[in-house]
Amino acid sequence: MMSGQSRIEWRDATMSDAESNDSGENFLPGRDGDSGGGSGDDSGDSGDSGGDSGGDSGDSGGVSESEVDRYEVYHPPADRFLTAQMWWIASELVRRHPHLRISGVEVDEADRLLIVHDEQDGMSVQWDLEGGCKFLVNGVVQKISWIQMLATLNPHTIVKRIEVATGLGIPKTTPATSARALTYRVIASALATATNDRYEWYAVPAPMLHDEDPENPGCEFFRDFPSTVRARAEYVAMTLDEFEAGGRSVYFYQPFWALLRDLEPIAIFDSAGVVHTTSGATALMPLYERLDRKLALVTARVLADYFP
C-alpha cells in the first residue's frame, strides 16, 4: 500500500506576474538604441505619426521632425519567431546545465508558458509570448524583453545573462549533451526549421496521469503513436515504485511533449531521449552519434516528411 506520508504532487512551475512590470514595454514603438526596454520618456508616442506628429514634435527630445520620420513604428515579431527563440534559449540552458529540465503550461494560445527549472523548482526561468523572459532574483522579478532577446548579435549573450543573474553560472566547459537536452534541442531545431512553413508549428506538453491505463491514455495526442504505450507504462510503474518506497514526496514532471503542426500532432517527444512518430520510436542519442553529432541532420532524419 502507499505510504500515508508520501504524496504525488502535480505542480505548475508558473511564476506569478503580480510583481512584474507591464509587459507592454516589449512592443513600444521606438528608435534604435531604445531597445533596452526601459525607455521611460514619451518619444514612443511618435508611433502615432499618422496625423498627430506635427503638434507633438517638440516632445522628441531635441530630434527634428525629419529625423523622427525616418523611423517606422515597431511591430512585434510573429509568434512563430518568438516560439522558436524561446525554445532555443531554454534548450541551450539545459544543454549547458544538465540538471535542469523544461516544463510547460498550456492555458491558451495567448498564455502558453515555457519554464526551465531544476527538479524541485528551486530556480526557474519562464517565457511567454507577450511578457518575454522572467525569473526571480532575491524575491524580485527580473525581466528580459523580446526586443532585447531578438536584438543581440550573439544569441549566447542572453543565455549567459540568465546564467549570471540566476546564479547558475557560466560553465567553464560545456558538458556533453545529455539525452534530455538532446530531446529539447531537436524540438527547438524543428521549430526553427519550420519557421516559415505555411502551417503553424509549436510544442505543448502531452500530459499523462501517474495511474492511468497506458492502453487508454487520457491525452488524445498519444492515440496515433502506439509506440508510446510501453514508455508510459514504464513511467507509471517507476512512479508507483518511488511512491511506495516512501522517504520523500514524489514530484511527477510531465516527460512528454507533443510537436504540433497546426492542431495535428506529428511526433511525441519523451524527455528520456526518444521521439515517437507514426513509424515508431527512435532513440535520439545513437542517431546523433551516427550522424556525427549534427543536430540539423538528426532533426531532418526524424521529421523530414513533415518539413516544408
Side-chain angles (χ1 to χ4, degrees), residues 6-306:
S6 298
R7 59 196 173 88
I8 292 184
E9 236 177 83
W10 298 78
R11 302 194 300 165
D12 289 340
T14 56
M15 182 185 304
S16 173
D17 205 25
E19 299 175 66
S20 65
N21 296 326
D22 185 358
S23 61
E25 67 177 5
N26 296 303
F27 303 134
L28 287 176
R31 300 187 297 276
D32 293 345
D34 290 337
S35 60
S39 57
D41 58 32
D42 295 331
S43 60
D45 294 339
S46 62
D48 296 327
S49 58
D52 298 330
S53 61
D56 295 333
S57 60
D59 295 335
S60 60
V63 180
S64 68
E65 181 177 351
S66 60
E67 290 176 313
V68 173
D69 289 342
R70 289 205 301 267
Y71 296 95
E72 296 183 5
V73 175
Y74 175 76
H75 296 282
D79 288 352
R80 65 186 188 274
F81 299 112
L82 307 185
T83 298
Q85 191 64 12
M86 73 169 72
W87 264 97
W88 181 84
I89 297 173
S91 66
E92 190 66 9
L93 283 170
V94 177
R95 184 179 77 90
R96 293 160 65 90
H97 304 275
H99 69 287
L100 300 178
R101 61 186 71 197
I102 299 178
S103 293
V105 178
E106 185 73 3
V107 180
D108 56 44
E109 187 173 347
D111 295 322
R112 190 179 300 148
L113 301 180
L114 192 70
I115 305 154
V116 170
H117 56 94
D118 57 20
E119 182 179 359
Q120 302 296 340
D121 284 354
M123 66 80 59
S124 65
V125 182
Q126 76 176 42
W127 290 260
D128 67 79
L129 295 174
E130 293 187 0
C133 176
K134 301 175 187 177
F135 50 88
L136 287 173
V137 177
N138 296 325
V140 178
V141 176
Q142 304 295 317
K143 298 178 63 177
I144 304 177
S145 69
W146 278 117
I147 292 177
Q148 295 175 52
M149 283 186 280
L150 295 176
T152 54
L153 296 179
N154 184 338
H156 278 95
T157 299
I158 295 298
V159 175
K160 293 177 180 179
R161 177 175 169 182
I162 293 171
E163 289 174 331
V164 171
T166 59
L168 283 170
I170 299 174
K172 293 181 179 180
T173 303
T174 303
T177 295
S178 66
R180 181 163 61 210
L182 181 58
T183 304
Y184 300 148
R185 293 177 67 201
V186 173
I187 293 175
S189 177
L191 293 172
T193 301
T195 295
N196 291 313
D197 193 8
R198 66 181 184 274
Y199 301 105
E200 181 184 8
W201 290 58
Y202 50 99
V204 299
M208 59 172 288
L209 298 176
H210 71 276
D211 57 353
E212 74 178 12
D213 178 1
E215 297 283 353
N216 186 28
C219 176
E220 62 181 11
F221 292 149
F222 293 112
R223 299 188 186 279
D224 294 331
F225 304 96
S227 62
T228 64
V229 173
R230 179 177 177 181
R232 287 183 287 113
E234 290 174 351
Y235 276 116
V236 168
M238 179 179 64
T239 303
L240 293 178
D241 285 346
E242 291 181 1
F243 190 89
E244 292 176 356
R248 69 178 182 89
S249 296
V250 176
Y251 298 98
F252 185 84
Y253 288 100
Q254 296 294 342
F256 294 103
W257 288 86
L259 183 65
L260 307 185
R261 188 177 67 167
D262 282 347
L263 299 178
E264 181 76 19
I266 60 173
I268 300 291
F269 284 83
D270 181 345
S271 59
V274 179
V275 58
H276 300 269
T277 65
T278 54
S279 300
T282 301
L284 292 172
M285 189 62 73
L287 181 61
Y288 185 59
E289 297 293 346
R290 287 200 305 272
L291 295 177
D292 198 26
R293 304 176 71 83
K294 302 294 186 183
L295 184 64
L297 295 182
V298 173
T299 308
R301 181 67 63 88
V302 297
L303 298 172
D305 291 342
Y306 301 96

